[in-house]
């Protein structure tokens, strides 16, 4: 018994070591104790200044979120902190000290004990530079702030109190310090040796083989680094090591070695890959871990299955296009019975087209057949005023290609939407974001630029694949990317879009802010009303997507300007801070979300993204990506894939093709989830579904595995309910009163509860 217990203890220990992220040792954290004041005064750099009357601030959040909404301009942060010489490593006199201050939006000067040590991310090594010239650089808000000082730099007051004063300038939008880490630490092995996990992704082959290529890089310019490299893979549920490789490496300055780990694992079980390096002479060790992607979505069966929206809205007389999304072994044959007059179906590709003249509701029976069997489902077509009765699902060019989007890339994405099979799960829009516009000609027609030689041809190509196409503009003179906007040309632009065959318009505030810098609510609505009328006159069903970052609580009036969706936030990024900050703050819009009126927390950041010509694989961990898709589905958010579809890997595809997850996003009731419990460690969100079931999302916000408790009385559920795991599509038995779900670091689970 004792041995068993001891063994269990060891396994539990391994589990903790293997599946939780570890903290950096030997550092001074700078997360708390900061004082803050808007304005500018050189005296605020000095230790003697008395800041006791200043406000306090959390450096990991921008100042807008801490009582300084809309503030742009100068502001200062001050922190008093002792720096102990015990931080120093007696073995290494060449070490330096680094002060890390997260990121700063937009510009900064950092003073240590009254003297300038850094500006806009660059260390100032000399003591002579005068402190008051301040370069207000643009576009550096996302840059890491790491200032490095030699140990004998007299600006450091060892074993005494030190004052760090940060002078900031914000050009507009978000402002001040944010992100992480905030700490002082010694430069050491961890700064000189880099494990590169990001350049290549995990590759899957067959049902269980995983390969990971990684490299280890010596970042120093002068010193070789020698030691032992260990690569291991652990299973998170029981701590068992399933792979291990040891090697001695001797790395000359600036060089790297490449390593490959190939291992067999159960594809659906969370595992972590851990790499550690122990330096030969000092025996110093650094360790890093990455989560191995785990695939929960089961393979689609060979027998037909009908997916996608169960309800579809169209306006009288508008051209209708509905693609029956269905999986199953090809060839599939599509049928629709009780099709109202005016509509036809193509049995080869499942495309229903035509137009309907009279308002009303029609139930159409869809059937999809193959050699193995058949599937049936009802589709409700509602001819009326409202379109987009379920959240739009598609692809948008921005998060991957940014302004480098072109006709070629759009066609390629449309082809891939079809050939990858995404179309069979309900994905339907191909949206061109900013970067397609040229100027308005003398007749007021908007001309696409050289990258888009023929818009009508592009639209009909996309339609021919059974997909829809979207476009982008701004109510201002210029778009956010500096291209031509729609101001003064709204009616003509809408007519042109409709004439080309556009099905979706994203209308982005951008330079309209120059026309009304401090807009009233009516001024915020005005340009959107203008385009609403223009679109309605164009006689085509164009999904109207507002993008003004949530100003004026747009969710309360989006429907009034006839928007089908509205962005509730600024731009998303592929980081946990961005994802969780946006995702978990969406409850405010819940009461206003309804069929045809969707809150839009911005596009998806899974797969290869990059906002420009060069891409990187999302920086979100696999578990964070489960959180992303789970939360966006519960929020009834538009799902717009933002990645390069030509590099769609097995894991990303599994995230985007789980039909049960998608069905929750597309649930015809159209109710957005609300949080029923929320604390620093976890959140539980619940969405009511059309069939009376509840979809429950369970989110772990910590960096450790967590058993998240759910009290069913908080969802007003009495008695026994059938619990079903949505991601793995398996029944979990009956529950009553209370249950707990084991959830990965930053990860999510999703279940439905059905009476
Ligand atoms: C803004 C929007 C983004 C994107 C760019 C294009 O930043 O929020 O989604 O459309 O403009 O310039």
């Amino acid at each position: 018994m004792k041995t068993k217990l001891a063994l269990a203890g060891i396994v539990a220990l391994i589990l903790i070591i293997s599946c939780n992220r570890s903290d950096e040792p030997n550092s001074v954290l700078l997360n708390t104790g900061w004082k803050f004041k808007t304005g500018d005064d050189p005296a605020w750099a000095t230790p003697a200044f008395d800041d006791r009357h200043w406000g306090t601030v959390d450096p990991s959040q921008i100042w807008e979120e801490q009582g300084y909404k809309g503030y742009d301009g100068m502001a200062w942060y001050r922190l008093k902190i002792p720096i102990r010489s015990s931080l120093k490593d007696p073995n290494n006199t060449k070490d330096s000290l680094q002060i890390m201050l997260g990121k700063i939006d937009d510009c900064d000067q950092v003073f240590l004990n009254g003297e300038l040590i850094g500006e806009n991310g660059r260390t100032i090594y000399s003591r002579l530079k005068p402190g008051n010239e301040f370069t207000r650089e643009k576009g550096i808000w996302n840059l890491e702030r790491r200032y490095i000082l030699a140990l004998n730099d007299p600006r450091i007051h060892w074993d005494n109190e030190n004052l760090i004063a940060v002078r900031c300038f914000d050009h507009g939008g978000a402002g001040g310090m944010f992100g992480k880490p905030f700490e002082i630490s010694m430069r050491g092995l961890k700064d000189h040796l880099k494990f590169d996990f990001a350049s290549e992704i995990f590759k899957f082959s067959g049902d269980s083989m995983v390969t990971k290529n990684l490299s280890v890089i010596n970042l120093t310019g002068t010193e070789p680094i020698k030691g032992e490299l260990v690569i291991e893979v652990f299973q998170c549920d029981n701590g068992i090591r399933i792979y291990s490789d040891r090697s001695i490496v001797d790395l000359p300055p600036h060089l790297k070695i490449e390593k490959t780990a190939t291992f067999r694992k159960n594809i659906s079980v969370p595992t972590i890959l851990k790499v550690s390096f122990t330096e030969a002479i000092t025996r110093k060790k650094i360790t890093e871990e990455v989560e191995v992607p785990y695939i929960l979505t089961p393979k689609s069966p060979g027998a037909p299955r009908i997916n996608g929206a169960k309800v579809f809205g169209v306006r009288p007389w508008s051209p209708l296009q509905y693609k029956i999304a269905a999986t199953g072994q090809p060839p599939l044959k599509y049928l629709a019975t009780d099709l109202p007059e005016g509509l036809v179906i193509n049995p080869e590709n499942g495309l229903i087209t035509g137009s309907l003249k009279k308002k009303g509701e029609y139930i159409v029976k869809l059937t999809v057949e193959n050699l193995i069997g058949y599937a049936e489902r009802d589709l409700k077509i509602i001819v009326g005023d409202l379109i987009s009765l379920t959240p739009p699902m598609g692809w948008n060019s921005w998060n991957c290609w940014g302004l480098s989007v072109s006709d070629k890339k759009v066609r390629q994405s449309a082809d891939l939407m079809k050939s990858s099979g995404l179309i069979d799960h309900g994905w339907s829009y191909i949206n061109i974001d900013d970067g397609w516009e040229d100027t308005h000609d003398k007749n007021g027609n908007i001309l696409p630029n050289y990258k888009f030689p023929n818009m009508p041809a592009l639209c009909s190509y996309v339609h021919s694949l059974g997909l829809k196409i979207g476009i982008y503009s701004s109510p201002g003179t210029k778009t956010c990317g500096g291209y031509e906007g729609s101001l003064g040309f709204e009616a003509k632009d809408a007519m042109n879009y409709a004439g080309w065959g556009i099905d979706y318009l994203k209308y982005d505030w951008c330079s309209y802010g120059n026309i009304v810098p401090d807009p009233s609510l009516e001024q915020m609505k005005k340009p959107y009303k203008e385009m609403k009328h223009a679109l309605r006159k164009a006689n085509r069903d164009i999904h109207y997507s507002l993008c003004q970052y949530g100003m004026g609580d747009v969710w309360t009036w989006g429907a009034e300007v006839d928007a089908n969706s509205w962005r509730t936030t600024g731009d998303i990024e592929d980081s946990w801070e961005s994802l969780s900050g946006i995702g978990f703050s969406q409850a405010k819009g819940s009461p206003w979300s309804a069929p045809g009126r969707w809150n839009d927390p911005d596009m998806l950041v899974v797969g290869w993204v990059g906002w420009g010509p060069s891409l990187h694989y999302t920086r979100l961990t696999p578990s964070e990506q489960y959180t992303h898709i789970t939360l966006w589905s519960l929020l009834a958010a538009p799902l717009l894939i933002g990645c390069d579809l030509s590099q769609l890997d097995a894991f990303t595809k599994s995230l985007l093709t789980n039909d049960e997850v998608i069905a929750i996003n597309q649930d015809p009731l159209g109710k957005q989830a609300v949080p029923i419990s929320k604390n620093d460690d976890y959140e539980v969100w619940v969405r009511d579904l059309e069939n009376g079931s509840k979809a429950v999302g369970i989110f772990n916000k910590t960096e450790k595995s967590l058993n998240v408790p759910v009290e069913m009385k908080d969802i007003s559920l009495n008695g026994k309910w059938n619990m079903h795991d949505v991601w793995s599509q398996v029944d979990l038995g009956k529950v009553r009163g209370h249950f707990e779900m084991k959830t990965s670091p930053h990860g999510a689970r999703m279940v439905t509860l059905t009476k």
Side-chain angles (χ1 to χ4, degrees):
M1 188 65 186
K2 210 171 162 191
T3 358
K4 264 197 191 158
L5 274 181
L7 206 64
I10 292 168
V11 170
L13 188 69
I14 295 173
L15 187 69
I16 293 164
I17 293 168
S18 62
C19 288
N20 301 325
R21 311 236 200 101
S22 42
D23 290 325
E24 287 288 341
N26 222 12
S27 57
V28 182
L29 295 180
L30 309 176
N31 295 328
T32 52
W34 288 91
K35 296 296 195 102
F36 178 77
K37 191 166 165 56
T38 56
D40 192 28
D41 183 342
W44 297 349
T46 59
F49 178 77
D50 182 359
D51 60 18
R52 272 175 299 178
H53 59 287
W54 281 24
T56 55
V57 73
D58 169 2
S60 70
Q61 303 287 337
I62 51 169
W63 65 52
E64 266 81 0
E65 282 173 14
Q66 302 183 73
Y68 300 90
K69 210 166 179 195
Y71 180 72
D72 302 325
M74 304 291 305
W76 284 70
Y77 295 74
R78 285 169 56 97
L79 176 72
K80 292 181 181 146
I81 189 101
I83 306 181
R84 310 249 174 258
S85 48
S86 54
L87 262 185
K88 292 186 202 174
D89 175 359
N91 295 325
N92 194 349
T93 50
K94 285 193 213 154
D95 269 2
S96 321
L97 186 80
Q98 58 190 3
I99 302 180
M100 287 186 271
L101 301 172
K103 293 176 175 178
I104 297 180
D105 190 341
D106 293 291
C107 309
D108 63 301
Q109 279 187 325
V110 177
F111 300 85
L112 184 63
N113 300 316
E115 297 201 41
L116 190 65
I117 60 161
E119 183 169 307
N120 296 340
R122 289 177 292 269
T123 302
I124 307 243
Y125 294 100
S126 123
R127 297 189 65 196
L128 300 173
K129 188 172 188 290
N132 273 326
E133 295 160 19
F134 191 178
T135 333
R136 295 173 182 190
E137 267 177 70
K138 279 199 166 169
I140 52 164
W141 60 276
N142 205 13
L143 196 78
E144 170 188 75
R145 297 322 204 252
R146 181 196 296 253
Y147 297 108
I148 301 167
L149 304 178
L151 290 193
N152 61 358
D153 191 310
R155 292 172 291 189
I156 311 170
H157 295 173
W158 289 103
D159 294 317
N160 273 306
E161 188 172 82
N162 288 258
L163 171 82
I164 303 172
V166 185
R167 183 188 190 198
C168 295
F169 177 76
D170 176 31
H171 287 285
M177 306 214 278
F178 70 100
K180 62 178 188 183
F182 288 90
E183 65 175 40
I184 300 181
S185 61
M186 298 303 297
R187 301 271 296 164
L189 188 57
K190 68 181 184 333
D191 303 294
H192 300 142
L193 192 78
K194 184 180 164 205
F195 300 145
D196 176 11
F197 300 108
S199 300
E200 286 199 47
I201 63 170
F202 284 89
K203 297 200 181 83
F204 295 88
S205 52
D207 278 344
S208 58
M209 290 310 290
V210 182
T211 302
K212 174 70 178 166
N213 294 328
L214 57 101
S215 53
V216 183
I217 310 159
N218 180 351
L219 296 174
T220 66
T222 51
E223 314 289 320
I225 300 180
K226 192 174 172 181
E228 186 189 38
L229 183 74
V230 181
I231 305 175
E232 295 164 291
V233 179
F234 294 94
Q235 231 164 255
C236 291
D237 55 353
N238 54 16
I240 289 174
R241 189 170 67 186
I242 57 172
Y243 174 85
S244 156
D245 174 75
R246 280 166 194 273
S247 55
I248 299 296
V249 298
D250 189 354
L251 260 179
H254 278 321
L255 288 190
K256 69 174 180 185
I257 51 149
E258 275 156 16
K259 287 273 167 192
T260 299
T262 300
F263 50 94
R264 186 180 291 282
K265 83 169 201 103
N266 177 337
I267 229 87
S268 64
V269 170
T271 44
I272 62 130
L273 179 126
K274 179 170 168 180
V275 178
S276 47
F277 179 86
T278 311
E279 202 175 42
I281 302 167
T282 62
R283 304 303 301 161
K284 278 199 173 163
K285 182 173 175 181
I286 52 168
T287 302
E288 265 185 59
E289 299 171 354
V290 284
E291 202 176 22
V292 183
Y294 49 104
I295 294 182
L296 300 176
T297 303
K299 287 211 171 86
S300 298
R305 195 155 73 182
I306 303 180
N307 307 308
K310 292 180 181 154
V311 52
F312 185 78
V314 63
R315 298 197 184 110
W317 296 95
S318 293
L320 177 152
Q321 178 178 314
Y322 177 89
K323 160 89 178 90
I324 303 173
T327 54
Q329 189 183 298
L332 296 178
K333 191 163 172 230
Y334 302 81
L335 296 164
T337 37
D338 302 330
L339 261 189
E341 201 189 317
L343 299 185
V344 288
I345 179 168
N346 178 336
E348 308 297 320
N349 62 12
L351 205 55
I352 300 177
T353 51
S355 77
L356 295 167
K357 299 175 187 60
K358 274 217 309 266
K359 285 196 174 182
E361 289 190 15
Y362 304 88
I363 305 289
V364 177
K365 192 168 278 313
L366 308 177
T367 309
V368 179
E369 286 175 10
N370 67 4
L371 287 175
I372 305 176
Y374 74 98
E376 281 181 345
R377 199 164 92 174
D378 285 351
L379 167 69
K380 189 193 272 186
I381 301 179
I382 304 181
V383 189
D385 218 34
L386 261 189
I387 57 169
S388 301
L389 300 182
T390 62
M393 292 173 63
W395 173 90
N396 171 294
S397 56
W398 184 249
N399 287 356
C400 47
W401 303 122
L403 297 172
S404 73
V405 64
S406 64
D407 175 284
K408 194 170 161 215
K409 284 176 173 147
V410 173
R411 279 174 194 256
Q412 187 197 32
S413 307
D415 288 338
L416 288 158
M417 190 68 115
K418 188 169 178 193
S419 62
S420 66
L422 286 175
I423 191 174
D424 303 325
H425 299 271
W427 297 93
S428 54
Y429 286 95
I430 296 291
N431 291 354
I432 308 166
D433 207 280
D434 202 358
W436 65 271
E437 316 85 333
D438 193 353
T439 51
H440 288 93
D441 69 11
K442 61 178 185 332
N443 300 319
N445 295 311
I446 180 72
L447 303 174
N449 60 37
Y450 69 98
K451 294 183 292 166
F452 290 86
N454 189 338
M455 274 296 184
L458 177 59
C459 293
S460 54
Y461 180 71
V462 172
H463 290 149
S464 75
L465 299 173
L467 297 165
K468 298 189 169 187
I469 183 160
I471 210 152
Y472 166 97
S473 189
S474 167
T477 52
K478 292 272 174 253
T479 65
C480 296
Y483 286 78
E484 180 103 334
S486 290
L487 188 71
F489 297 97
E490 294 80 1
K492 272 257 155 151
D493 282 3
M495 289 307 280
N496 274 308
Y497 302 153
W500 296 343
I502 292 292
D503 306 296
Y504 189 115
L505 171 67
K506 172 172 170 185
Y507 207 42
D508 194 351
W509 180 262
C510 307
S511 69
Y512 198 82
N514 300 335
I515 293 162
V516 277
D518 191 10
S520 65
L521 195 58
E522 274 318 304
Q523 286 170 321
M524 278 178 206
K525 294 178 187 172
K526 188 170 170 261
Y528 288 105
K529 283 187 180 160
E530 181 101 27
M531 187 49 97
K532 152 191 165 168
H533 296 306
L535 287 174
R536 279 303 181 108
K537 281 199 194 115
N539 286 332
R540 187 177 170 87
D541 289 359
I542 297 182
H543 176 105
Y544 188 24
S545 152
L546 266 49
C547 179
Q548 44 81 288
Y549 337 114
M551 278 186 309
D553 294 348
V554 62
W555 43 92
T556 62
W557 53 268
E560 187 190 324
V561 302
D562 205 20
N564 301 111
S565 59
W566 43 80
R567 276 270 295 277
T568 53
T569 74
D571 291 14
I572 196 168
E573 280 175 51
D574 55 328
S575 70
W576 173 248
E577 290 71 29
S578 171
L579 172 73
S580 57
I582 291 177
F584 294 127
S585 63
Q586 295 302 307
K588 54 196 179 200
S590 285
W592 284 272
S593 164
R597 312 288 186 204
W598 309 108
N599 288 304
D600 175 4
D602 206 1
M603 299 175 285
L604 303 178
V605 277
V606 300
W608 287 86
V609 292
W611 295 270
S614 50
L615 303 179
H616 62 263
Y617 195 65
T618 181
R619 296 183 174 119
L620 297 175
T621 67
S623 289
E624 289 168 354
Q625 296 179 62
Y626 276 109
T627 291
H628 191 11
I629 306 297
T630 305
L631 192 49
W632 265 234
S633 296
L634 288 164
L635 293 174
L639 297 179
L640 291 169
I641 301 169
C643 70
D644 173 9
L645 293 178
S646 73
Q647 299 188 66
L648 193 65
D649 58 292
F651 172 68
T652 309
K653 190 171 171 193
S654 80
L655 290 172
L656 301 175
T657 54
N658 191 307
D659 298 313
E660 293 199 7
V661 174
I662 291 174
I664 287 175
N665 174 266
Q666 296 287 301
D667 187 72
L669 192 60
K671 274 201 117 187
Q672 179 180 322
V674 288
I676 56 144
S677 54
K678 210 174 182 35
N679 59 35
D680 286 349
D681 291 346
Y682 61 83
E683 306 211 357
V684 178
W685 288 62
V686 176
R687 176 169 176 180
D688 292 342
L689 301 177
E690 194 197 30
N691 67 359
S693 300
K694 310 271 179 186
V696 185
I698 295 128
F699 301 96
N700 174 2
K701 297 194 285 186
T702 75
E703 300 198 342
K704 298 183 167 71
S705 290
L706 202 68
N707 277 326
V708 177
V710 179
E711 303 303 334
M712 290 174 58
K713 67 173 171 9
D714 296 341
I715 330 174
S716 311
L717 297 186
N718 300 316
K720 280 192 190 158
W721 289 71
N722 293 313
M723 184 151 77
H724 178 79
D725 189 312
V726 181
W727 276 103
S728 40
Q729 304 181 0
V730 293
D731 289 337
L732 299 176
K734 291 197 187 305
V735 279
R736 178 205 286 271
H738 165 104
F739 62 93
E740 286 187 7
M741 297 299 283
K742 186 160 188 194
T743 315
S744 299
H746 290 178
R749 302 285 301 269
M750 179 151 61
V751 296
T752 51
L753 296 172
T754 307
K755 194 71 188 173

